[in-house]
Amino acid sequence: MPILVTGGAGYIGSHTCVSLLKKGFEIIVLDNLCNSKENAVKCISRITGKDVPFYPYDLRDKESVRSVFEKEAIEAVIHLAGYKAVGESVREPLKYYENNILGTLNLLECMREYGVRNMIFSSSATVYTGALDKASAKALTEESPLAVTNPYGRTKLMIEEILRDLHQSDPVWNIISLRYFNPIGAHESSLIGDDPNGIPNNLMPYIVQVASGKLEKLNIFGNDYNTKDGTGVRDYIHIMDLADGHVAAMKKLNDCGGGFTAYNLGTGQGYSVLDIVNTFSRVNGVEIPYVIAPRREGDVDTCFADPFKAEQELNWKAMRNLADMCRDSWYFQQSIS
Ligand code: NAD
Ligand code: UDP
């Protein structure tokens, strides 16, 4: 029976679909293409040689979501669809609450109506960053305090709470929340990758556009953080490792009967912005001009995962290194330039 992947045409969704299909799962994609292209769905088919049923529907339109459940015998849902730009969420909070929260409620109501009780939710390391002690550089476990600093983060935390309540109300619900750290890189085919609209907000999409000459130089947001070289430290994870994490989580869902559990998906290794710039230049032989710019509001010094729980309980571990991430990001950018 198929898995419904909401947001399956997006960056993380398309790679996750490839991993699922390669491991023999059947999938259906629902995506309104507000931040992706239908071509990504065609590329998933091309890479895997499998058909991918696609519904270009909006989660906010409950009737169209219901029609998918009516037509397809869905067994589980991987819920990635949502808006994700922190800065935009501060400027337009209602847009974020409407899309992320209402979309999720519609989906959950349809799941309940059609007896589908298995879900994997795309959460984020952002659920921790509001509680981070700026002076400390400790790995984050799933037990670390949760607090957020912006509407985007709040939608993630609220949805986790909604899912926890749902499981409390009916223990048959079987839910895994995956807290992603910083996915970068692309599938080795370079057919899919991170291709944001407009000027990128995130570090790697910005770097590759500097490398390709589309943007003049990288602005490094602050070099006075409490880190080894003063620039911010994050846990970058190869997108295919993250995608494989969903396969591991799906196997876990199939094995256990009910629960709400969160897992960090990260490598456990922190790299600074300068580490990324230098590794990218070395691996790809391309210089990245940069300037030191003021700190970006809301950024923390250091944020990296303790991935032990996922290793133990999901039998999953990130395998690819920073050089792989930098190389695959650059190959993908060249393929679309
Ligand atoms: P993305 O924008 O590439 O993918 C999201 C997809 O959801 C897009 O294809 C978009 O068209 C679709 N979508 C949005 N609203 C929709 C709606 N109402 N109905 C149907 N489709 C809708 O983003 P991504 O980087 O692949 O992120 C996927 C999920 O992972 C998001 O929920 C995001 O918040 C979360 N996440 C991402 C990161 C990251 O660094 N990329 C980190 C942590 C968490
Ligand atoms: N960053 C930067 N310049 C950019 C984008 C990001 O210096 O143009 C830094 C940012 O301050 C942080 C790191 O790169 O220290 C990762 O930022 P990103 O937005 O990719 O992910 P976040 O961890 O904020 O979700």
Side-chain angles (χ1 to χ4, degrees), residues 6-13 30-37 57-60 79-84 99-100 103 121-125 152 156 178-183 194 202:
T6 76
Y11 174 47
I12 300 173
L30 181 152
D31 195 307
N32 68 356
L33 303 176
C34 66
N35 196 35
S36 53
K37 301 183 183 79
Y57 296 167
D58 192 317
L59 283 181
R60 287 166 294 188
H79 177 35
L80 300 111
Y83 293 147
K84 62 167 183 175
N99 196 43
N100 295 5
F121 171 60
S122 292
S123 189
S124 167
Y152 164 70
K156 292 291 169 197
L178 296 177
R179 295 178 182 154
Y180 310 149
F181 281 67
N182 291 57
D194 196 4
N202 297 114

Side-chain angles (χ1 to χ4, degrees), residues 308-323:
F308 184 72
K309 186 178 173 191
E311 280 174 35
Q312 289 292 301
E313 295 184 16
L314 301 182
N315 201 16
W316 166 91
K317 194 175 177 1
M319 303 303 287
R320 295 154 180 93
N321 63 27
L322 189 60

Side-chain angles (χ1 to χ4, degrees), residues 47-92:
I47 293 168
T48 59
K50 306 238 168 96
D51 281 342
V52 179
F54 174 56
Y55 293 91
Y57 296 167
D58 192 317
L59 283 181
R60 287 166 294 188
D61 176 2
K62 194 167 164 189
E63 280 317 305
S64 65
V65 179
R66 180 180 279 125
S67 72
V68 180
F69 281 84
E70 182 64 36
K71 188 160 169 229
E72 308 275 1
I74 294 164
E75 185 183 24
V77 175
I78 300 184
H79 177 35
L80 300 111
Y83 293 147
K84 62 167 183 175
V86 172
E88 186 186 45
S89 80
V90 174
R91 290 190 301 276
E92 296 188 68

Side-chain angles (χ1 to χ4, degrees), residues 217-228:
K217 57 182 182 321
L218 172 69
N219 298 298
I220 294 185
F221 298 141
N223 66 350
D224 57 353
Y225 283 106
N226 182 23
T227 60
K228 62 174 184 176

Side-chain angles (χ1 to χ4, degrees), residues 200-214:
N201 294 303
N202 297 114
L203 181 63
M204 186 54 85
Y206 204 104
I207 288 179
V208 293
Q209 293 201 15
V210 172
S212 69
K214 248 176 139 176

